[in-house]
Amino acid sequence: MPLTAFQNTFAGNPLNRASERRGDTTWLAEQVASSDSLGIALWNGKPFVEKAANGDLQIAYLPARLVEELAGGAERLLFLGLWKETAIFAVDLEGGADPGEGPLAGLGRFEDLRGVALRLPATDAAMVATAKAMFEWRRRHRFCASCGEASETAEGGWKRICPSCKVEHFPRTDPVVIMLAVFEDRCMLGRQEIWPKGMFSALAGFLEPGESIEEACARELEEEAGLKTASVAYHSTQPWPYPSSLMIGLIAQVESDDATPDQTELSEVRWFTKAEARALLAGEVPATFAPPPMAIAHQLIKAWAES
């Protein structure tokens, strides 16, 4: 579905998710057995890729029947959706032995998604991120949260059912507010001690139950930097498969520049003019840098600095 809104890395999955077909086990079996259907593989969260004609990377597609064989059953198999009339499946591989040097030798290689996201076509990155997030959810929810019994996969991998108490479990997405604080002609960036030395970024935090997006933004800015929020404007969102978040990008106008890092979440804060922010994004500020373009924080800073 084409959208006119700003599109971040990992957004823009081009597949028809065909959710109405997920419960049709006969149809799914026919699709995975079809010679026309395709599959993608992830090993310990790393996508299987190959070199593209332009020198960058692309998904290394596999026959769906091979993906089903590698899965060894429904637990590790996911129906991703339809590309036009072609069914696309994904397999979740784990373990210490690289399948790219075993059953998939010569067909491609497994690469860390963070490292190759910007080298993949945007649509490929979005599909892989969807699969990664789904596999992370299943890995963390193998047991029923209601009674503790082992749950079983259903609906092409998009649902889990407890055979004991019959409770149904669905994939979860954790909403995170990420906001660029702005006062007059400057924006504020912060850093955590655990980050790479010199990196400054927008502030972020999880949305809590019973809280609006705007309230979460205001709470996080006050908790982490002691700032009062005057208004909040939406910029864009980003699916973030680490493990399964939705980053909600905001521009927050604050009431003053009297910011104090809480020394728990933030160790330091710094204010930047638009010219300084543009220099930061260009890598022209000594010993200081911004998150890479694949991160929504980079795009928030860029949108404000170029406005």
Side-chain angles (χ1 to χ4, degrees):
M1 179 174 59
L3 299 174
T4 56
F6 182 86
Q7 187 168 290
N8 290 291
T9 304
F10 302 135
N13 187 336
L15 298 182
N16 173 3
R17 294 176 181 244
S19 57
E20 73 282 1
R21 308 305 299 267
R22 294 172 183 167
D24 189 339
T25 55
T26 300
W27 182 84
L28 287 173
E30 291 172 350
Q31 296 305 307
V32 79
S34 170
S35 60
D36 295 327
S37 298
L38 297 173
I40 66 176
L42 283 82
W43 170 55
N44 296 334
K46 299 177 180 180
F48 195 53
V49 299
E50 63 183 359
K51 185 173 289 187
N54 64 1
D56 280 333
L57 299 174
Q58 63 187 21
I59 290 174
Y61 284 102
L62 303 167
R65 288 177 292 189
L66 174 58
V67 161
E68 181 188 32
E69 180 182 337
L70 291 170
E75 181 64 29
R76 294 184 179 275
L77 192 65
L78 173 69
F79 169 61
L80 272 177
L82 296 172
W83 171 250
K84 297 182 180 179
E85 299 301 320
T86 301
I88 309 294
F89 293 84
V91 61
D92 181 25
L93 303 173
E94 293 181 305
D98 184 349
E101 298 177 357
L104 300 180
L107 301 177
R109 65 182 188 270
F110 290 96
E111 294 281 359
D112 179 72
L113 181 56
R114 288 180 189 262
V116 301
L118 294 181
R119 294 188 60 193
L120 291 169
T123 50
D124 283 20
M127 285 189 283
V128 169
T130 300
K132 177 177 170 57
M134 283 296 299
F135 291 146
E136 290 290 347
W137 167 69
R138 283 201 281 177
R139 192 170 291 113
R140 293 162 184 254
H141 293 80
R142 289 172 173 164
F143 296 89
C144 176
S146 181
C147 73
E149 291 295 321
S151 59
E152 299 174 349
T153 189
E155 297 201 1
W158 291 86
K159 182 168 75 173
R160 299 190 71 82
I161 299 175
C162 177
S164 177
C165 68
K166 309 306 180 186
V167 169
E168 298 180 341
H169 302 277
F170 296 90
R172 60 174 294 165
T173 296
D174 300 317
V176 177
V177 290
I178 180 166
M179 48 276 172
L180 185 69
V182 174
F183 179 70
E184 295 180 349
D185 62 347
R186 295 181 297 158
C187 75
M188 188 201 74
L189 301 177
R191 65 168 277 100
Q192 297 182 7
E193 281 299 322
I194 62 172
W195 290 352
K197 185 177 180 179
M199 190 179 87
F200 280 78
S201 184
L203 276 58
F206 286 99
L207 191 71
E208 295 186 348
E211 191 173 48
S212 71
I213 291 172
E214 295 83 357
E215 289 168 341
C217 172
R219 174 181 55 78
E220 289 288 344
L221 285 175
E222 185 167 15
E223 286 178 357
E224 295 184 11
L227 293 173
K228 296 288 187 181
T229 300
S231 64
V232 178
Y234 170 81
H235 177 265
S236 62
T237 56
Q238 179 181 34
W240 190 247
Y242 299 100
S244 53
S245 296
L246 178 68
M247 309 298 289
I248 305 168
L250 309 166
I251 306 292
Q253 300 291 332
V254 295
E255 295 180 354
S256 76
D257 60 358
D258 186 18
T260 304
D262 66 353
Q263 300 301 326
T264 300
E265 293 290 335
L266 295 181
S267 59
E268 184 181 354
V269 297
R270 191 181 301 181
W271 292 90
F272 296 82
T273 65
K274 288 188 175 183
E276 291 168 340
R278 291 194 294 269
L280 180 70
L281 294 174
E284 298 171 353
V285 178
T288 307
F289 63 98
M294 68 174 284
I296 190 174
H298 181 105
Q299 302 303 332
L300 290 174
I301 301 167
K302 185 174 186 287
W304 174 78
E306 295 180 352
S307 65

